[in-house]
Amino acid sequence: MTDASDLPGASTSQRTMSKLLRQWAQEFLTLRKHANNLIDIISHWDDCTITCLLTLETIFTEVLKRGDMYLERTIALTISEPSAEFRYITWLRNCYEEVWKKVLLSMESSRLTIQLQVLTTAIKLMAEEGRTPLEPCDNPGYHFPLHRLRPILMTLLSPEKDNTNLISRFQEIAGYPDALYYTWKCLPSLTPKRQPQEIYIKNLLELIDKIPVPKEEGSKLSDNKELLCGSQQGATFTWDQFAVKRALNKVWACVMHWELTPQLHKQLLIVLLERIMSHLDKPLLLTDFLMDSLDAEGSISVLALQGVFILVTKHNLEYPNIFTKLYSMFEPEIFHTKYKARLFYLSDLFLSSTHLPETLVAAFAKRLARLTLVAPPEDILIILLFVGNLLLRHPGLKRLIDHPQGGEVTSYATMGAGDPFLMEERDPLLSNAMLSSLWEIRALQQHILPSVASAAQFIREPLPSVEYDMASALERNSGYIFDRELKSKVKDIMLTFERPTSMALLKGEKLLQYWQLTSTY
């Protein structure tokens, strides 16, 4: 047991109190005549919370293992005159419940370090109570103390306090199938249908993001080491995937009707796409929510686009205006968002069909080419690959390379004077892209960066027979400038001309002219 008195900086009084509490605990566990020591230990909770908490954890872990609080239901119902043993067990259980109340209260109002330790203790006590129940249970082979887990979750989902750190600590038990299963079973009853506080929504999304949803349809685990509450002989636990998915769908049915701030909206979309969407029974019910999210700006619309793409490709959603919406998302502001790589990747997938009208694809190629004039260098390289793919899929677009009325490279300074392309037009079919040319890419051949100028040469060379892999290009290109500069310059930094070998000053140091290190013995 790690004691607070053993930490650096612990005062003498803390060490003395820690030793005293350990002595009381040892006496209590040895002889029943020292039963009142437990009251004394609990009374010091406010004075030294962590030391007292760890002491009580040791006491009740041992008490649970020994079965000192175990009580047969028949004894409690049939006995007329309580015996000394019955009164002792009842008193001990009352003390145990009092400690649980203090644990839950400290998890809400104490400092973070205390909160983390309190949560750890609560999980340990819950696990031990599951292994050695206080009463006979319906399933003699396995028992999970759901009445302990529920208040812990209620504390984590506080409507007043951000519990991100506590939820991260709670994530440690998500590796136990039984703990994960009963967590999902509890969540529907803890999710309100009416609009909750913003902090509650944040805590709930954080919790859903941290706890996984196993994909196996069902598994029976009999290895006690894999369960949080599975040390009993013959303990078995059955994972019910249908019950978990039903609980998940109930939770998400409530979440989708809440009003969200932009930050919570983005957090919800991330959790939806990465954790939840593949487990929903009726994903098409998300259509209205995702369509409304597409009208938002910045990263929210990009994340919603990924959800719409999943609905279109996997659930046969018909959305005729998706290309118009996608076209409008390519604005200079997109280069300053966190999810721009996701937009390029999804757009390449949306435009991968060779049966799309050339007028539509030409509008995308021209708009992307125009954005290269204001894009960062790393994004220019991605756009050039994207435009190259569009030209490969639609050979008729090669006319954009040298269209006689499509503008000239000399128009670069005036952003394409004489170019018939309408950059402000929201409908790609009305943008006059087929009457324009890709003069922007030819202008990039004089770019100051050799990598960009070299990449822009593809427009004058025969196109490759195979499309560029956008996924690998995006992964490789992410942060390439920083990585390249770091690797090329860090090794050239000269820290010193001569490696020091002792405390003495280096040979030739000018300070030696005015100072000399001597030792006198």
Side-chain angles (χ1 to χ4, degrees):
M1 180 180 71
T2 303
D3 202 312
S5 64
D6 298 330
L7 299 176
S11 63
T12 304
S13 60
Q14 288 176 330
R15 294 190 178 94
T16 303
M17 178 58 65
S18 177
K19 292 179 181 178
L20 181 60
L21 291 177
R22 286 200 297 265
Q23 179 183 347
W24 287 349
Q26 185 64 34
E27 292 173 352
F28 171 81
L29 293 173
T30 304
L31 296 173
R32 284 195 179 183
K33 68 177 184 178
H34 298 293
N36 288 333
N37 286 8
L38 181 59
I39 301 296
D40 296 334
I41 295 174
I42 296 176
S43 65
H44 285 82
W45 182 280
D46 296 330
D47 300 332
C48 46
T49 303
I50 292 184
T51 304
C52 183
L53 174 70
L54 295 175
T55 305
L56 291 171
E57 176 189 323
T58 302
I59 290 175
F60 283 107
T61 299
E62 182 63 25
V63 167
L64 287 168
K65 287 181 179 178
R66 298 193 306 202
D68 290 350
M69 292 191 293
Y70 183 80
L71 185 64
E72 291 284 353
R73 296 175 184 172
T74 55
I75 296 178
L77 294 176
T78 60
I79 193 167
S80 57
E81 183 66 25
S83 63
E85 182 68 17
F86 178 79
R87 290 197 301 269
Y88 175 77
I89 294 176
T90 303
W91 171 80
L92 195 57
R93 291 173 66 146
N94 290 335
C95 293
Y96 183 56
E97 295 299 329
E98 182 182 353
V99 169
W100 265 103
K101 291 179 182 179
K102 290 183 176 294
V103 164
L104 295 174
L105 184 62
S106 297
M107 206 183 303
E108 294 179 349
S109 57
S110 302
R111 300 192 310 271
L112 178 60
T113 53
I114 297 178
Q115 289 178 342
L116 294 174
Q117 182 58 54
V118 167
L119 178 59
T120 301
T121 298
I123 293 174
K124 290 181 179 179
L125 293 177
M126 180 180 66
E128 193 60 44
E129 188 174 337
R131 300 186 189 102
T132 54
L134 301 180
E135 296 177 354
C137 53
D138 298 332
N139 180 10
Y142 176 80
H143 171 68
F144 190 93
L146 199 59
H147 64 292
R148 302 299 184 194
L149 177 63
R150 181 181 173 84
I152 292 177
L153 292 175
M154 291 176 63
T155 304
L156 294 179
L157 299 177
S158 170
E160 301 175 353
K161 188 175 182 179
D162 186 349
N163 286 328
T164 301
N165 294 318
L166 279 178
I167 292 172
S168 298
R169 176 63 61 87
F170 181 81
Q171 183 187 9
E172 297 176 3
I173 74 169
Y176 298 99
D178 53 344
L180 179 61
Y181 174 78
Y182 286 104
T183 298
W184 278 112
K185 290 277 288 184
C186 285
L187 283 182
S189 61
L190 299 178
T191 306
K193 295 183 179 180
R194 295 183 178 181
Q195 178 73 24
Q197 300 286 342
E198 293 182 9
I199 298 298
Y200 174 88
I201 300 176
K202 186 179 187 304
N203 288 331
L204 178 62
L205 293 176
E206 191 71 28
L207 179 62
I208 295 176
D209 186 47
K210 290 293 188 296
I211 58 176
V213 183
K215 297 181 180 180
E216 56 266 20
E217 292 301 324
S219 60
K220 188 175 183 180
L221 302 176
S222 59
D223 187 356
N224 298 339
K225 295 180 181 179
E226 296 181 4
L227 301 176
L228 183 67
C229 304
S231 64
Q232 300 181 58
Q233 294 297 327
T236 59
F237 166 76
T238 301
W239 176 274
D240 188 350
Q241 181 72 7
F242 176 76
V244 173
K245 290 188 65 174
R246 182 174 56 187
L248 183 150
N249 280 268
K250 287 182 179 180
V251 171
W252 209 254
C254 297
V255 173
M256 297 307 299
H257 293 90
W258 294 341
E259 295 181 3
L260 304 169
T261 63
Q263 185 64 29
L264 289 175
H265 197 162
K266 183 171 66 174
Q267 184 181 3
L268 184 144
L269 284 170
I270 294 174
V271 175
L272 172 64
L273 295 173
E274 298 181 356
R275 296 280 186 177
I276 302 300
M277 196 166 184
S278 60
H279 301 285
L280 295 179
D281 293 333
K282 298 178 180 180
L284 288 176
L285 295 179
L286 299 171
T287 302
D288 292 339
F289 171 75
L290 293 175
M291 295 307 175
D292 294 339
S293 301
L294 279 176
D295 295 331
E297 298 180 354
S299 56
I300 293 178
S301 60
V302 177
L303 292 170
L305 178 66
Q306 182 176 348
V308 172
F309 177 78
I310 295 175
L311 294 181
V312 170
T313 55
K314 295 185 178 181
H315 302 283
N316 299 321
L317 174 67
E318 294 184 3
Y319 183 36
N321 296 325
I322 185 63
F323 291 104
T324 302
K325 184 60 184 176
L326 179 63
Y327 183 79
S328 65
M329 294 175 68
F330 283 100
E331 296 286 348
E333 292 78 12
I334 196 62
F335 300 117
H336 305 290
T337 62
K338 181 179 179 181
Y339 302 99
K340 60 183 177 181
R342 192 175 306 209
L343 174 62
F344 287 128
Y345 176 72
L346 292 173
S347 301
D348 186 58
L349 293 178
F350 269 111
L351 298 172
S352 60
S353 175
T354 58
H355 300 286
L356 294 174
E358 286 189 348
T359 304
L360 176 68
V361 181
F364 277 92
K366 179 62 181 177
R367 191 174 187 86
L368 288 167
R370 180 63 61 86
L371 289 178
T372 59
L373 302 180
V374 294
E378 63 271 19
D379 294 327
I380 294 177
L381 298 175
I382 296 298
I383 292 176
L384 293 177
L385 295 180
F386 195 174
V387 174
N389 283 347
L390 297 180
L391 296 178
L392 280 173
R393 296 164 189 164
H394 301 271
L397 298 184
K398 293 180 180 179
R399 62 183 295 184
L400 298 179
I401 296 177
D402 288 305
H403 196 283
Q405 298 178 352
E408 300 294 336
V409 177
T410 55
S411 306
Y412 176 79
T414 57
M415 295 296 288
D419 190 342
F421 175 69
L422 302 176
M423 184 67 177
E424 302 301 325
E425 175 59 50
R426 312 304 293 178
D427 189 346
L429 299 178
L430 302 177
S431 62
N432 295 335
M434 290 297 289
L435 302 177
S436 183
S437 70
L438 300 177
W439 60 266
E440 297 91 346
I441 297 181
R442 285 188 280 122
L444 290 176
Q445 294 174 358
Q446 282 93 41
H447 198 277
I448 189 173
L449 292 179
S451 58
V452 175
S454 176
Q457 296 293 333
F458 83 95
I459 203 169
R460 288 299 186 188
E461 300 174 355
L463 295 175
S465 57
V466 181
E467 293 184 9
Y468 302 104
D469 187 355
M470 288 289 292
S472 61
L474 288 167
E475 182 179 359
R476 182 177 61 255
N477 210 57
S478 177
Y480 86 103
I481 291 181
F482 177 78
D483 293 337
R484 184 185 62 189
E485 293 299 319
L486 190 64
K487 293 178 181 179
S488 63
K489 292 187 177 182
V490 166
K491 294 181 180 179
D492 298 332
I493 296 177
M494 188 66 69
L495 299 179
T496 182
F497 291 97
E498 186 174 345
R499 181 181 295 275
T501 57
S502 66
M503 291 291 293
L505 295 176
L506 300 177
K507 182 179 180 181
E509 179 65 44
K510 289 187 176 295
L511 186 59
L512 288 175
Q513 300 176 8
Y514 310 101
W515 186 266
Q516 183 175 1
L517 295 177
T518 59
S519 59
T520 57
Y521 293 99

